[in-house]
């Protein structure tokens, strides 16, 4: 139309504008709709006015949503940092108030630094509250698919899986659970009665034979230990450390 913004803009510039200038002018106008910036290009008819209003409303909603998400993210990061600083301060106060030795304080700080780098553990079923309301049959199928690839590596459980599918699913559902072992924590202690057979799903452990604290054997992903407890009452004859 004769009253369009482009005609008015060309007239104000004596018609001496090319395509690149028109393109960058349009881009400039679109960016100003998302910011408080101003511009010399304004609507000249009802169609352009309607389009401009629609763009402003869209910009208002999208920009508000963007700012809100940024604010929430910054608040979450600030909360995490505050919790971390509070924990560090509490540890420092505890060491000072209880007059712990310099060596013990260093050991505590060294463990906490290492724990901070390794605290991302596998997600366990007990961590997800929604699973508690699932039907028993569905949970049994979930346990089967979760544990079957791991325990089938053992010939005994692989045979049960092949011969008796129902029995194998009952083993997965009723007899297996997941545990998390902290760094430097004993997964198995010398002279303690064994309570369960274990399979390693992630990380690795060090096995010390007997009471020996010498060079340990590495127990890695996919390995199992304390197998004897499946067949008989057993006392651990070594020490396993995460």
């Amino acid at each position: 139309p004769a009253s369009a913004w482009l005609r008015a803009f060309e007239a104000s510039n004596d018609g001496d504008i090319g395509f690149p200038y028109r393109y960058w002018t349009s881009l400039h106008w679109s960016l100003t709709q998302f910011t408080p910036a101003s511009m010399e290009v304004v609507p000249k008819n009802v169609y352009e006015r309607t389009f401009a209003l629609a763009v402003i409303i869209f910009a208002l909603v999208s920009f508000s949503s963007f700012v809100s998400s940024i604010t929430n993210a910054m608040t979450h990061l600030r909360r995490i940092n505050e919790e971390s600083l509070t924990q560090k301060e509490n540890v420092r106060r505890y060491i000072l108030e209880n007059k712990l030795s310099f060596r013990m304080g260093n050991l505590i700080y060294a463990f906490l630094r290492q724990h901070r780098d390794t605290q991302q553990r596998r997600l366990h079923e007990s961590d997800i509250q929604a699973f508690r309301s699932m039907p028993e049959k569905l949970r049994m199928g979930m346990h089967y698919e979760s544990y079957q690839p791991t325990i089938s590596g053992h010939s005994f459980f692989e045979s049960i899986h092949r011969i008796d599918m129902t029995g194998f699913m009952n083993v997965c559902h009723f007899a297996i659970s997941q545990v998390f072992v902290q760094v430097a924590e004993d997964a198995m202690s010398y002279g303690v009665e064994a309570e369960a057979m274990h399979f390693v799903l992630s990380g690795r452990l060090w096995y010390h034979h007997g009471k020996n604290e010498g060079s340990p054997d590495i127990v890695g992903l996919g390995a199992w230990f304390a197998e004897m407890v499946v067949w008989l009452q057993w006392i651990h004859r070594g020490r396993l450390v995460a």
Side-chain angles (χ1 to χ4, degrees), residues 71-102:
T71 303
N72 291 336
M74 294 301 296
T75 302
H76 179 65
L77 289 175
R78 190 177 299 111
R79 187 181 299 113
I80 292 176
N81 290 333
E82 287 178 355
E83 292 175 356
S84 176
L85 291 175
T86 300
Q87 290 296 324
K88 289 180 180 178
E89 177 62 19
N90 290 339
V91 170
R92 187 187 68 82
R93 285 184 55 194
Y94 182 89
I95 292 174
L96 292 176
E97 292 176 1
N98 291 275
K99 297 181 174 58
L100 300 185
S101 66
F102 181 75

Side-chain angles (χ1 to χ4, degrees), residues 135-155:
E136 189 79 8
K137 185 175 181 180
L138 183 58
R139 292 179 61 232
M140 180 176 288
M142 180 181 71
H143 291 157
Y144 167 75
E145 294 196 5
S146 297
Y147 303 139
Q148 181 270 326
T150 301
I151 68 173
S152 289
H154 191 282
S155 58

Side-chain angles (χ1 to χ4, degrees), residues 1-232:
S3 60
W5 75 268
L6 184 57
R7 300 289 181 264
F9 192 67
E10 288 177 341
S12 64
N13 289 274
D14 299 325
D16 187 21
I17 55 174
F19 175 78
Y21 190 76
R22 291 198 300 269
Y23 174 80
W24 290 112
T25 300
S26 301
L27 179 61
H28 185 189
W29 177 87
S30 64
L31 292 176
T32 60
Q33 307 312 300
F34 290 83
T35 65
S38 61
M39 193 185 180
E40 69 275 15
V41 173
V42 294
K44 294 297 183 180
N45 56 53
V46 66
Y47 302 107
E48 292 179 352
R49 184 73 62 182
T50 302
F51 178 75
L53 287 172
V55 171
I56 291 173
I57 293 173
F58 173 77
L60 179 65
V61 173
S62 59
F63 186 73
S64 299
S65 176
F66 176 74
V67 172
S68 176
S69 62
I70 293 281
T71 303
N72 291 336
M74 294 301 296
T75 302
H76 179 65
L77 289 175
R78 190 177 299 111
R79 187 181 299 113
I80 292 176
N81 290 333
E82 287 178 355
E83 292 175 356
S84 176
L85 291 175
T86 300
Q87 290 296 324
K88 289 180 180 178
E89 177 62 19
N90 290 339
V91 170
R92 187 187 68 82
R93 285 184 55 194
Y94 182 89
I95 292 174
L96 292 176
E97 292 176 1
N98 291 275
K99 297 181 174 58
L100 300 185
S101 66
F102 181 75
R103 175 179 174 275
M104 180 57 65
N106 281 339
L107 290 174
I108 292 173
Y109 277 118
F111 170 78
L112 293 177
R113 282 194 298 269
Q114 190 175 23
H115 174 66
R116 179 189 59 194
D117 297 332
T118 59
Q119 62 183 350
Q120 292 295 333
R121 64 177 180 85
R122 288 174 60 93
L123 193 64
H124 293 174
E125 180 186 346
S126 57
D127 299 325
I128 305 175
Q129 189 173 2
F131 284 166
R132 301 173 187 175
S133 60
M134 286 171 50
E136 189 79 8
K137 185 175 181 180
L138 183 58
R139 292 179 61 232
M140 180 176 288
M142 180 181 71
H143 291 157
Y144 167 75
E145 294 196 5
S146 297
Y147 303 139
Q148 181 270 326
T150 301
I151 68 173
S152 289
H154 191 282
S155 58
F156 173 69
F157 294 107
E158 194 278 330
S159 298
I160 297 177
H161 184 215
R162 187 177 63 255
I163 299 171
D164 184 5
M165 175 64 75
T166 302
F168 184 84
M169 292 186 70
N170 285 330
V171 169
C172 292
H173 183 56
F174 294 108
I176 300 180
S177 61
Q178 292 181 320
V179 295
F180 174 71
V181 183
Q182 297 276 11
V183 174
E185 181 182 354
D186 283 1
M188 186 175 75
S189 299
Y190 178 85
V192 175
E193 184 176 354
E195 297 180 350
M197 177 182 179
H198 298 270
F199 291 82
V200 181
L201 294 179
S202 62
R204 58 181 179 177
L205 305 97
W206 283 262
Y207 180 72
H208 299 270
H209 295 270
K211 296 182 180 180
N212 179 28
E213 294 292 335
S215 299
D217 294 330
I218 296 177
V219 180
L221 181 66
W224 56 79
F225 56 92
E227 175 185 8
M228 292 70 66
V229 74
V230 176
W231 322 107
L232 46 84

